[in-house]
Amino acid sequence: MTPETDPEAVDRAYDDLVALVEHGPRFHGTPGIAAAADWLEQHLGTVGWPVERQAVTLPGWQPGAVHRVVVHEPIARELPAWPMLWSGSTGGPRRGTVEAVGPQGLWGDSMTWRKFVVTDDDGRVLAYLHARDDGPAAPQPLPSGSDLEVAHLAIGRLDGLQLTEWLGDGKALVVEVEADSGAVEAATSDNLIVDVPGTGDGSVLLCAHYDSFFNTAGAYDNGSGTIALLHLAEKWAAEPPVPSVRLVFFTAEEWHLGGSRHFVDTASTADLDAIDYVLNVDGLGRGSFVEAFGAPEAFSTAFRSALLQHAAATRPDLELVTRFPPTTGTDDASFYRAGVPSAFLTFNDLHRLHQPDDEPNRGIAANVAWTVPLVEHLVATLARPTRAAPPGVL
């Protein structure tokens, strides 16, 4: 019996995931993430692990209650939309015409969306629309340099294609946009740090972000990775790993990696040099599609080989995709920028990403159950890689 088919392991993963998401959205700086942090600290303390809290304070932002994109011409239609993180307000409903702008890079061009601008009769910018590359409308953080005084609204891929088709046909495209999102006072929540002494040599940093976007309780992204780390902490309380492991539950991953960036920025050079490598467990969604990226290149190859070795005996249906250089949209990127070898894995579940229906299910729980022994295997197998220089601009 493999872990993902072990009813007891799946039941435990499911029950703990349900308990975590009962705190609601875990958006940075909100009561939901504060309650989740207390819940995690209590569970870790139950098995004997003290928790160090590292406060992370970032500029504040609130999503508001209104986020509308209504097409008036050529065909009346309301498009599902969400405010992008850092979006400004429209100051009420505003009507204007739409033009295509071109590609929109997000997370350092890890994703490329379609971008549109809405202007009034005098050419003033009323809003930007960002059409997702795949799947339904989903909020994301705006890239650095965006005009934060203007509303930015995310729409779905198919709606973006429809706008493109209308514009390509030369049709006038008139919309009404409204959003009441905007900046507020600074927001604070905590990174949670647990040090697990090993029985031998080596030092690994294992992490997962426990925050979510404002519109979801985030079972897949990333309650699942959070529960995987919690179960590993429980296992290692009974039987320690060979290398020492620092477990970090990061806040503010959705805020341009704010929690992990703060962790790296406040660490000493000696602290970072002491880390053999970083392993980041992101969303463990339904299905068998795994993305596993690492850097530098030699470490990426070793990481892939160790993962496939474990899967050969436990998961013959696994569909593995690797990419080099890795994407920059999750917490391992903060370490790689500082020259620390890093890797991440996710069971990608794009249609649940940043969605209100990202709720617990048995498929997620099964992949949590399988990932726990996988990470044990990786921690036991992967040797300290040779350091490479931090990445440059190319």
Side-chain angles (χ1 to χ4, degrees):
M1 180 181 295
T2 58
E4 79 277 7
T5 60
D6 179 353
E8 183 177 348
V10 175
D11 285 347
R12 286 193 63 245
Y14 180 79
D15 290 345
D16 284 343
L17 191 58
V18 168
L20 174 64
V21 304
E22 282 179 350
H23 298 104
R26 300 179 303 282
F27 201 45
H28 173 65
T30 64
I33 194 167
D38 291 343
W39 183 85
L40 286 166
E41 183 171 14
Q42 177 185 357
H43 277 255
L44 290 161
T46 298
V47 294
W49 295 126
V51 175
E52 175 189 349
R53 291 198 181 217
Q54 182 184 46
V56 178
T57 301
L58 299 169
W61 179 84
Q62 58 84 25
V66 180
H67 33 87
R68 298 173 56 247
V69 178
V70 180
V71 178
H72 288 280
E73 298 179 24
I75 298 173
R77 177 181 301 173
E78 182 162 358
L79 309 182
W82 294 103
M84 300 283 276
L85 177 57
W86 312 122
S87 169
S89 171
T90 59
R94 297 288 184 269
R95 182 179 291 214
T97 58
V98 177
E99 299 176 46
V101 173
Q104 167 72 72
L106 299 173
W107 289 114
D109 288 340
S110 295
M111 297 181 286
T112 304
W113 291 13
R114 296 171 184 258
K115 183 177 179 181
F116 304 85
V117 62
V118 182
T119 57
D120 65 14
D121 292 340
D122 296 321
R124 290 186 293 256
V125 175
L126 303 177
Y128 291 101
L129 307 180
H130 305 264
R132 191 177 173 189
D133 55 347
D134 192 17
Q140 289 285 358
L142 290 170
S144 178
S146 298
D147 185 351
L148 306 185
E149 299 300 317
V150 175
H152 293 256
L153 291 157
I155 61 175
R157 174 180 178 271
L158 293 180
D159 288 330
L161 291 173
Q162 180 65 82
L163 298 187
T164 300
E165 181 179 344
W166 282 331
L167 292 171
D169 289 342
K171 295 180 179 179
L173 182 48
V174 179
V175 301
E176 183 177 284
V177 291
E178 186 175 9
D180 60 351
S181 50
V184 293
E185 293 183 359
T188 301
S189 52
D190 296 334
N191 292 331
L192 308 178
I193 304 166
V194 175
D195 285 313
V196 178
T199 60
D201 297 330
S203 178
V204 175
L205 190 145
L206 176 62
C207 62
H209 74 91
Y210 74 105
D211 65 313
S212 73
F213 242 97
F214 59 83
N215 63 337
T216 179
Y220 148 60
D221 184 24
N222 184 30
S224 55
T226 301
I227 297 304
L229 256 64
L230 184 63
H231 287 191
L232 284 158
E234 293 171 356
K235 280 178 167 282
W236 285 330
E239 186 176 349
V242 173
S244 295
V245 177
R246 171 164 277 192
L247 297 170
V248 187
F249 300 82
F250 280 123
T251 186
E253 188 263 4
E254 306 290 5
W255 293 50
H256 285 149
L257 317 183
S260 57
R261 286 160 63 110
H262 179 74
F263 182 94
V264 171
D265 289 346
T266 56
S268 68
T269 300
D271 289 338
L272 296 177
D273 286 346
I275 301 170
D276 291 345
Y277 58 85
V278 171
L279 179 57
N280 176 27
V281 182
D282 211 326
L284 305 174
R286 305 161 298 171
S288 298
F289 174 58
V290 172
E291 293 180 347
F293 307 156
E297 191 171 25
F299 180 58
S300 176
T301 300
F303 171 54
R304 176 180 180 275
S305 296
L307 195 159
L308 287 174
Q309 181 188 47
H310 182 78
T314 62
R315 197 70 181 265
D317 66 330
L318 196 73
E319 179 186 355
L320 177 64
V321 172
T322 60
R323 167 178 165 167
F324 183 83
T327 57
T328 60
T330 188
D331 287 316
D332 51 283
S334 298
F335 293 90
Y336 180 45
R337 289 190 187 104
V340 181
S342 60
F344 96 102
L345 64 91
T346 177
F347 280 84
N348 210 329
D349 203 346
L350 284 172
H351 286 265
R352 289 292 185 269
L353 181 70
H354 301 173
Q355 299 297 313
D357 61 352
D358 180 8
E359 299 174 343
N361 61 61
R362 305 291 292 187
I364 295 173
N367 281 335
V368 172
W370 183 78
T371 299
V372 168
L374 167 65
V375 172
E376 289 183 289
H377 171 76
L378 294 172
V379 168
T381 303
L382 289 171
R384 180 182 176 95
T386 301
R387 284 289 207 270
V393 297
L394 298 179

